[in-house]
């Protein structure tokens, strides 16, 4: 797989921004079949001056919600990777903003 297939998008929430500032950890939505080694290679290819220290992967469950009486809404599950970078490395997610 190409690195753009593995890394789908960054997760931008208050918690992920706090993790990035305090612990140098970045959260990404990744391909459902990607493993830790593929995610590490994809991050280091996408940002050449960055070295990965540790990766944690979690499968986020699907969610269901009921609207009105008979209509059920379903969101698919997804996989996220929390990437810890070596000290001194940073990823600029929003360049030029």
């Amino acid at each position: 797989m190409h690195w753009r297939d593995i890394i789908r998008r960054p997760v931008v929430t208050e918690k992920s921004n706090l993790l990035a500032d305090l612990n140098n950890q970045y959260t990404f939505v990744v391909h459902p079949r990607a493993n830790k080694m593929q995610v590490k290679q994809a991050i280091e290819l996408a940002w050449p001056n960055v070295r990965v220290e540790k990766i944690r992967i979690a499968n986020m469950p699907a969610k269901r919600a009921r609207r009105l009486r008979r209509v059920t809404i379903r969101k698919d599950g997804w996989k996220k990777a929390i990437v810890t970078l070596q000290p001194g490395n940073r990823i600029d997610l929003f360049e030029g903003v």
Side-chain angles (χ1 to χ4, degrees), residues 11-21 25 27 80 82:
V11 177
V12 181
T13 60
E14 289 181 28
K15 184 175 181 178
S16 66
N17 287 337
L18 188 66
L19 284 174
D21 290 340
Q25 295 178 336
T27 308
K80 76 175 176 180
I82 301 172

Side-chain angles (χ1 to χ4, degrees), residues 10-50:
V11 177
V12 181
T13 60
E14 289 181 28
K15 184 175 181 178
S16 66
N17 287 337
L18 188 66
L19 284 174
D21 290 340
L22 297 179
N23 299 336
N24 209 18
Q25 295 178 336
Y26 296 87
T27 308
F28 297 95
V29 175
V30 295
H31 191 275
R33 291 218 220 131
N35 59 29
K36 289 182 180 184
M37 293 303 297
Q38 289 173 331
V39 172
K40 179 179 179 178
Q41 291 173 355
I43 294 291
E44 290 180 352
L45 281 174
W47 291 278
N49 56 350
V50 167

Side-chain angles (χ1 to χ4, degrees), residues 49-62:
N49 56 350
V50 167
R51 296 289 160 236
V52 175
E53 183 175 309
K54 182 172 134 181
I55 295 176
R56 294 183 298 163
I57 291 183
N59 287 314
M60 305 308 290

